[in-house]
Amino acid sequence: MSNVSLRWRMLAETSALVALVAVGTLLFGAAGTILAGILAVVVVIFLSLRLTRQFTDLTEDVIRTTSIDRLHRLDPSGPAELKRLARAVNRLVARVDSDISKESRERIRLASILDLMREGVVVVDDQGVIESANPAAGEMLGSIGYVEPGMQLTSLTNHPDVINVVTRSIETEKQVASEIELFDNQRTLMAVSTPFPRPDSSAVRALLLLTDLTDIRRLDTTRREFVSNASHELRTPLAGIRASAETLQSGAIDDGDGRAKFLNMIREDVDRMDRLISEMLELSRLESGESLLVFENVDPETLVATAVKQFSAVAAESELDLKVSLPDDLPSVYVDADKIDHVFTNLISNAIKWTPAGGSIQIKGWVDDGTVWFSVADTGLGIEPEHLPHVFERFFKTDAARSQPGTGLGLSIARHIVDAHGGVMSATSTLGEGSEFAFTVSTVRS
Ligand code: ADP
């Protein structure tokens, strides 16, 4: 009976009741009609109540499935219409469920892409309210806390240029781009605001894309400074060569002593240019990683002795005490011996240059936490505290050094060599007392 459609069931039940009343009338006359009628009414009430309960159960099931438990499915029982309804609702719920899962998977995917993006992304409505923003945007604009949707753009940043880019793009409904300097966190950003309509209204919102140009701009500045410094440094010996040539041309060539003197000056300027160009090329090779290092296990004592040997005569001539202090148990170091010799050469020649006669230069070595340290300390003029952080920069020379020979590239090259060995290099100095340059190298193949 449960599989029978409601229409047939009602027809069968009504016919059965009519038959019941007819049989009652035939068998028992008026009393039979009344009794059969009462029985029929009771049966009708019972059947209606059962049907109402089935509907109520189904309704509650639907409510549970759609609003409380998305995994719950309707029980397809009762009359055929209710069964079909239950099955249809089950199919509908399954489809909506799969659509919701697909959409939430897509949302999670988009949210993780936005979270991982290096570019800052902010969606702002025409009232200046943030609809969404990724962590990079907050970080770039220097926001202290997490950027929540619903916040005003002005609470994320009060930089007028950023706000201006967004409002102009919403007002004009055109893309607006601007390069912005954020002085509080020393950043250069490219802000591009693209308007896009809301699907549900005529209002326009803006998609603000922020790209960090700080490193590119810094590189640009460094490159420009390098070109300008290199040209300046090359111009100085060139000017010397021109002056010597002109002096020779204007008569000095006929004077034996003058000729030798100016030719010698030309030779020195050419050497200076040659040194400068070699150092610039070496620096460029180190910076681009083209300068390949040949690593080997080297005895530190041999390494230091080779470097010191080159300077013992010059040190003695300059009345400087050149001392070496290495513990006996210093382990072998894993280095490119020629390159580390270049580092020692630069540090010792600087120390000799900046230490007045009577002073001393000490080369030390020690082990700290599995790393070998070397240092070159002098009792020379020292470096002003404001200049000390810049000594490793390309072409940097202190005021006193400007009139002295030297390219200003030596320490920069030395630091790049130590970097390429995976080590660190540091400088300490006290004006009037001396300076110490230290660096690390590794003892084992890393
Ligand atoms: P340079 O070719 O001019 O020696 P460096 O890069 O080796 O170039 O050194 C940069 C600058 O650092 C020098 O011009 C000098 O002003 C300063 N400097 C380096 N070493 C010393 C030192 N031991 N004592 C004092 N000043 C130093």
Side-chain angles (χ1 to χ4, degrees):
M1 190 73 174
S2 64
N3 252 338
V4 178
S5 102
L6 205 55
R7 196 186 314 145
W8 287 113
R9 198 162 119 182
M10 281 171 75
L11 206 65
E13 283 170 3
T14 312
S15 313
L17 290 173
V18 170
L20 180 72
V21 175
V23 170
T25 311
L26 277 176
L27 292 179
F28 305 105
T33 311
I34 292 167
L35 264 174
I38 291 170
L39 196 62
V41 167
V42 171
V43 171
V44 165
I45 291 173
F46 170 76
L47 290 174
S48 317
L49 283 176
R50 208 177 71 163
L51 195 61
T52 313
R53 207 190 61 237
Q54 283 172 327
F55 265 109
T56 313
D57 286 354
L58 186 68
T59 311
E60 269 165 17
D61 244 13
V62 171
I63 292 170
R64 184 174 160 202
T65 310
T66 52
S67 57
I68 305 168
D69 180 2
R70 268 176 38 210
L71 292 177
H72 182 72
R73 290 293 177 267
L74 306 188
D75 176 20
S77 61
E81 280 79 2
L82 291 192
K83 276 186 180 173
R84 276 177 55 206
L85 181 64
R87 284 200 199 99
V89 170
N90 278 347
R91 274 198 304 276
L92 184 69
V93 168
R95 210 167 59 217
V96 169
D97 203 31
S98 123
D99 287 353
I100 290 175
S101 308
K102 228 184 273 168
E103 201 183 304
S104 68
R105 270 202 307 274
E106 186 61 12
R107 264 173 200 274
I108 293 171
R109 201 173 68 89
L110 284 175
S112 23
I113 291 173
L114 275 180
D115 279 3
L116 290 174
M117 271 176 78
R118 288 178 55 187
E119 284 77 17
V121 179
V122 190
V123 179
V124 188
D125 74 8
D126 55 349
Q127 303 302 309
V129 175
I130 294 174
E131 287 185 9
S132 62
N134 69 346
E139 201 257 323
M140 277 182 193
L141 294 170
S143 158
I144 302 153
Y146 191 74
V147 186
E148 299 281 358
M151 273 169 60
Q152 279 288 328
L153 179 64
T154 44
S155 57
L156 170 61
T157 175
N158 54 13
H159 198 292
D161 291 353
V162 179
I163 295 164
N164 197 18
V165 164
V166 174
T167 32
R168 267 200 300 142
S169 79
I170 290 179
E171 276 166 18
T172 59
E173 296 193 21
K174 289 203 173 92
Q175 190 178 73
V176 178
S178 175
E179 195 172 310
I180 295 167
E181 293 281 339
L182 299 179
F183 291 104
D184 356 356
N185 60 3
Q186 307 212 318
R187 279 199 161 160
T188 311
L189 301 183
M190 173 55 85
V192 181
S193 180
T194 310
F196 67 104
R198 303 174 68 101
D200 47 350
S201 81
S202 59
V204 173
R205 53 189 169 167
L207 173 77
L208 174 66
L209 185 73
L210 300 165
T211 313
D212 197 341
L213 301 181
T214 316
D215 287 344
I216 297 172
R217 289 288 166 269
R218 206 172 280 154
L219 268 177
D220 225 32
T221 313
T222 315
R223 206 197 56 225
R224 256 185 282 128
E225 278 173 9
F226 182 82
V227 172
S228 131
N229 284 333
S231 324
H232 175 79
E233 291 300 322
L234 285 169
R235 208 169 262 153
T236 314
L238 263 183
I241 292 168
R242 178 183 288 137
S244 301
E246 280 170 2
T247 317
L248 285 169
Q249 267 177 341
S250 55
I253 198 153
D254 300 323
D255 162 22
D257 288 348
R259 190 169 55 227
K261 182 178 152 204
F262 288 109
L263 284 175
N264 204 31
M265 280 166 73
I266 290 175
R267 179 70 206 256
E268 276 172 13
D269 281 330
V270 168
D271 285 350
R272 191 170 161 188
M273 283 178 76
D274 189 36
R275 217 169 30 242
L276 184 65
I277 291 165
S278 310
E279 290 196 354
M280 285 196 319
L281 285 174
E282 174 65 4
L283 190 60
S284 143
R285 274 195 295 267
L286 282 163
E287 282 184 339
S288 65
E290 276 171 42
S291 179
L292 294 177
L293 304 190
V294 184
F295 283 91
E296 56 185 327
N297 281 316
V298 186
D299 170 30
E301 219 167 303
T302 318
L303 203 60
V304 172
T306 314
V308 167
K309 207 162 95 189
Q310 305 166 55
F311 291 98
S312 37
V314 189
E317 230 172 75
S318 311
E319 296 170 41
L320 295 170
D321 184 14
L322 189 56
K323 295 181 286 195
V324 175
S325 158
L326 294 180
D328 293 337
D329 57 353
L330 210 54
S332 299
V333 287
Y334 190 65
V335 294
D336 180 320
D338 281 348
K339 294 275 191 276
I340 294 296
D341 182 62
H342 192 119
V343 176
F344 274 121
T345 306
N346 174 262
L347 298 183
I348 300 171
S349 67
N350 277 349
I352 291 178
K353 200 184 327 177
W354 298 107
T355 308
S360 70
I361 294 159
Q362 186 168 36
I363 295 132
K364 285 186 285 185
W366 68 96
V367 184
D368 184 20
D369 204 14
T371 303
V372 172
W373 282 84
F374 290 112
S375 82
V376 177
D378 64 57
T379 57
L381 302 183
I383 301 163
E384 290 88 344
E386 67 271 25
H387 289 154
L388 195 59
H390 303 289
V391 289
F392 295 106
E393 288 170 14
R394 288 178 285 196
F395 294 112
F396 178 82
K397 287 169 103 172
T398 57
D399 295 338
R402 276 184 219 293
S403 54
Q404 298 283 324
T407 58
L409 292 175
L411 283 176
S412 182
I413 292 175
R415 183 180 244 182
H416 272 91
I417 292 175
V418 173
D419 272 358
H421 279 77
V424 289
M425 190 168 201
S426 64
T428 48
S429 185
T430 308
L431 199 61
E433 290 184 17
S435 313
E436 179 165 10
F437 289 82
F439 64 96
T440 64
V441 283
S442 161
T443 52
V444 281
R445 188 191 297 243
S446 52

